[in-house]
Amino acid sequence: MPARAEPPVAGRFTGTVSVVIVSYRTGATLWASLDRVLAEDAVGEIVLVDNGNDEATQAALRARAAGARQLRVLSGHGNIGFAAGCNLGVRATSGRFLLLLNPDCLVEPGSIAGLLAAVAAQSPGNTRSWIATVRLLDEGGAEQRGSRRNLGTPGQCLAEALRLDRVLPRRWAPTRLNLNDQALPAGLAAVPAISGAFMLMKRATYDALGGMDEGYFLHVEDLDFCLRLNRQGGIAYFMPGLTCTHVKGTSAVSAWLVERHKLRGFRRYFDTHFAASHPRLLRELCFLCLAAGLLLRLGLRARLRHRQGGPA
């Protein structure tokens, strides 16, 4: 008896993915992002969580949802933060798989189904909890720093902030947070952590972890999610052969405010997960160095924009 033929990749996963997008004062990239996701056969529904877009954007979203059966918009709850927005959106979905996607991410055609197929081939039984991502690119085509990462111990964050790998001999340099400067794996590979900008998983994985920790308002909630997954025996996958362009800086929000939330997130992350293994003095030193690095980069960018004649 002839072997049963496997359906095409797109056909195997048609309509099985629920996409959750949290949007707050997102710029024009939002429409391109929605167009890309709506065109994906693997996507059965999209829930856009409106955390506080302007009236014109809200009206356009309502019009878009009226003409696209897959799209649903949740609004009226105010700016509840990214983690809480993800949880709100997930509760409104029913797909077998979940994709948390930033509103400034432009997925490449077939990348969602392709990633699902790659994970299925790696783990045919799919009994283990997993999350997966593609290679996130900036607009210039370079891999972004958060695409694949370590779990973000205080020491790794300190090495990242001070770039100790540049100033210390290789044998003494501690491991950095980000892994984007390492050679690409040949195919789907396990990594310690991935970015929440594009995070695909089984619904069962999200449920088992209790969703995102709403104690994080913006940033670091994805590292927290990856660490909790790791400690429960789950796995994070990175697929270098599939890509998504992540257009950063599209939201009309103060960069200083974003960095403040990021720093608060790191403090919560260190205190929640590393209090037992890292003395408070060491955690505070790591936090202060991380804060100094973030604020220095922010100040340098503002100075550069001022010199170029743009808004500071």
Side-chain angles (χ1 to χ4, degrees), residues 17-286:
V17 180
S18 296
V19 180
V20 174
I21 299 174
V22 179
S23 172
Y24 175 75
R25 299 175 67 182
T26 306
T29 309
L30 173 63
W31 310 116
S33 178
L34 282 175
D35 287 341
R36 295 281 187 102
V37 179
L38 285 167
E40 290 297 297
D41 290 336
V43 174
E45 61 180 339
I46 304 166
V47 170
L48 188 140
V49 181
D50 174 20
N51 265 6
N53 288 297
D54 59 58
E55 292 184 5
T57 301
Q58 291 177 356
L61 283 170
R62 289 193 294 270
R64 182 71 65 96
R69 62 174 180 79
Q70 308 104 305
L71 178 61
R72 179 182 175 191
V73 179
L74 304 182
S75 59
H77 49 269
N79 188 8
I80 58 177
F82 180 77
C86 287
N87 290 341
L88 179 66
V90 168
R91 288 195 294 268
T93 65
S94 59
R96 177 184 169 196
F97 300 101
L98 297 170
L99 173 61
L100 305 182
L101 185 72
N102 273 19
D104 52 2
C105 278
L106 307 177
V107 300
E108 291 300 317
S111 60
I112 299 174
L115 184 56
L116 285 170
V119 173
Q122 182 85 357
S123 305
N126 270 346
T127 57
R128 190 176 182 182
S129 292
W130 57 265
I131 56 178
T133 194
V134 297
R135 185 159 51 103
L136 297 178
L137 307 178
D138 62 25
E139 290 182 278
E143 183 182 341
Q144 289 188 337
R145 288 190 302 167
S147 189
R148 46 185 169 138
R149 299 182 281 187
N150 281 306
L151 287 171
T153 66
Q156 290 167 355
C157 291
L158 180 64
E160 185 72 33
L162 301 180
R163 287 309 307 267
L164 297 180
D165 56 308
R166 291 180 176 175
V167 299
L168 294 176
R170 179 174 298 181
R171 60 180 177 173
W172 293 337
T175 305
R176 290 175 53 202
L177 171 63
N178 293 302
L179 302 173
N180 58 296
D181 60 347
Q182 294 192 3
L184 287 173
L188 186 74
V191 294
I194 61 177
S195 170
F198 186 113
M199 187 180 281
L200 181 68
M201 71 195 80
K202 296 183 293 185
R203 177 178 295 274
T205 297
Y206 200 85
D207 292 343
L209 292 174
M212 291 284 178
D213 181 351
E214 296 184 12
Y216 298 91
F217 189 84
L218 179 66
H219 288 299
V220 195
E221 65 286 306
D222 50 358
L223 272 177
D224 172 88
F225 192 86
C226 292
L227 179 59
R228 288 187 286 126
L229 174 75
N230 179 274
R231 289 180 174 174
Q232 288 191 11
I235 189 168
Y237 289 116
F238 169 74
M239 182 60 182
L242 299 171
T243 61
C244 172
T245 300
H246 186 196
V247 185
K248 289 187 175 183
T250 64
S251 181
V253 181
S254 164
W256 292 98
L257 180 62
V258 172
E259 294 302 327
R260 187 173 70 179
H261 283 304
K262 184 182 294 185
L263 289 173
R264 285 178 175 175
F266 271 113
R267 182 179 287 280
R268 176 179 177 82
Y269 185 67
F270 291 163
D271 290 345
T272 299
H273 296 295
F274 300 101
S277 58
H278 292 67
R280 183 174 184 83
L281 182 61
L282 178 59
R283 299 199 313 273
E284 288 297 324
L285 174 62
C286 293

